[in-house]
Amino acid sequence: MSTLEIRDLHVTVETENGTKEILKGVNLTINSGETHAIMGPNGSGKSTLAYSIAGHPKYTITSGTVTLDGEDVLAMDVDERARAGVFLAMQYPVEVPGVTVSNFLRTAKTAVDGEAPRLRTWVKDVKDAMGNLKMDPAFADRNVNEGFSGGEKKRHEILQMELLKPKMAILDETDSGLDVDALRIVSEGVNRAKAETNCGVLLITHYTRILRYIKPDHVHVFVNGRVAEEGGPELADRLEAEGYDRYVNAAVGSEVKA
C-alpha cells in the first residue's frame, strides 16, 4: 500500500507581470488502488498541480508538503521522483528527435528499476503492451513522438505507464485530442495498468467522457488553485449537468471579500 499525500501546497510561477500564485493551499491524499478525478475550468491550476508533483522547474513551491510513503517528494530531483514511483502522463508530450521509442522505453525502465530488463522478456512485454494499445509495432523504431498524431502520443504515454509500473500515475488531460475509439483504447490501458500494479491514479480532466471508461472513486472540483468540493462519482455527473459557474462565482466572491 502506497500513499501520496499533499498538504497545504502553495505554488507560484513567474509571468510577464511578475510572480503569480497558482496553487493556494491544496490538500489531497491518494492511496494505492484509488482513482481520483480532478475536474475544473481552464486556468484553475490542475496542470500546475501535476507538474509541481513531478518536479517541473517552472513552478516554485512556496509552502506545503508532498510525500510518497512518508518520503519528501519535493526534496527529490525529477529522476528520483520517477524512481520513487511517480509517473506523469503529459497533456502535451514533447518530441525527442534522434531517440527511438524502443531505446527510450528501455532506458527509462532501466533508470526506474536500477537495472536493465532481460531483453527477451522485455521485447515480449513491449510487444504485448503495444498490441493492447493498438499500436503498430513499427512505432518502436520511430523517434519519440516525432510526427505522431495526438492520439498516438497519448497511447505512447500510457504505454510508458504500463511498462514502468509506477506507484502513483498522474494523468494530465490524457483525454484531450482523442476521438472515441482512441479514448476507449487509452482508458482500457489505464485500467489494465492499474489492475496489474494496484497503483493510485490522479486523473485530471475537463470532461466526464473519460470517466465513463475510468471509474473514479473520488472526484475533486478544482477552482482558483484550491479544491472547492469533493465527492464520489455522482459529483462528476452533477458537473456535467451544471458546469463550474457556481464554483467560479463563489471563488471570485471570496477573493473580493479578502
Side-chain angles (χ1 to χ4, degrees):
M1 172 69 76
S2 289
T3 300
L4 180 69
E5 194 164 12
I6 302 165
R7 286 290 170 264
D8 196 27
L9 188 65
H10 290 252
V11 174
T12 62
V13 66
E14 294 301 320
T15 71
E16 294 178 353
N17 300 316
T19 303
K20 180 179 181 180
E21 187 175 41
I22 305 296
L23 301 187
K24 305 175 181 180
V26 176
N27 293 287
L28 198 63
T29 301
I30 305 169
N31 296 308
S32 295
E34 295 179 349
T35 297
H36 291 247
I38 290 187
M39 304 183 69
N42 282 326
S44 58
K46 303 185 302 299
S47 292
T48 296
L49 176 62
Y51 285 104
S52 297
I53 297 170
H56 195 297
K58 175 182 175 181
Y59 303 98
T60 301
I61 313 296
T62 56
S63 64
T65 61
V66 179
T67 59
L68 178 60
D69 299 335
E71 296 294 321
D72 184 0
V73 171
L74 302 181
M76 301 176 186
D77 291 335
V78 174
D79 60 317
E80 292 175 319
R81 299 182 198 204
R83 285 195 295 270
V86 176
F87 173 81
L88 172 65
M90 295 183 287
Q91 181 179 0
Y92 303 110
V94 297
E95 296 183 1
V96 187
V99 179
T100 64
V101 168
S102 60
N103 284 339
F104 171 78
L105 291 172
R106 193 160 193 262
T107 300
K109 183 66 172 177
T110 300
V112 167
D113 289 359
E115 60 180 2
R118 294 183 177 180
L119 192 56
R120 182 178 297 179
T121 304
W122 175 248
V123 169
K124 182 181 183 302
D125 289 345
V126 173
K127 183 178 179 181
D128 289 346
M130 292 182 73
N132 288 333
L133 288 164
K134 305 294 190 292
M135 297 179 72
D136 188 327
F139 272 91
D141 297 320
R142 293 176 61 180
N143 291 336
V144 173
N145 292 323
E146 195 171 47
F148 286 22
S149 69
E152 289 166 347
K153 288 180 179 180
K154 296 303 176 73
R155 293 186 202 204
H156 182 225
E157 293 288 286
I158 303 309
L159 176 64
Q160 295 169 49
M161 178 183 171
E162 287 205 54
L163 294 170
L164 297 179
K165 304 184 186 307
K167 293 179 181 177
M168 294 288 160
I170 303 164
L171 311 180
D172 186 18
E173 299 198 29
T174 298
D175 52 340
S176 65
L178 298 183
D179 61 27
V180 174
D181 289 334
L183 177 64
R184 176 181 52 78
I185 291 167
V186 164
S187 299
E188 288 172 352
V190 173
N191 291 333
R192 191 164 48 247
K194 181 185 171 187
E196 290 175 357
T197 64
N198 199 40
C199 66
V201 175
L202 179 61
L203 176 63
I204 295 170
T205 183
H206 286 294
Y207 309 109
T208 58
R209 63 178 194 151
I210 194 170
L211 303 184
R212 298 167 192 160
Y213 301 98
I214 302 174
K215 302 297 184 182
D217 302 293
H218 306 276
V219 175
H220 311 268
V221 183
F222 212 73
V223 175
N224 196 29
R226 298 185 179 91
V227 176
E229 187 172 355
E230 299 174 302
E234 72 285 347
L235 179 54
D237 295 332
R238 199 174 85 207
L239 292 171
E240 178 78 0
E242 300 176 3
Y244 301 110
D245 283 353
R246 70 188 185 95
Y247 297 105
V248 173
N249 293 336
V252 170
S254 64
E255 290 282 321
V256 171
K257 289 179 183 178

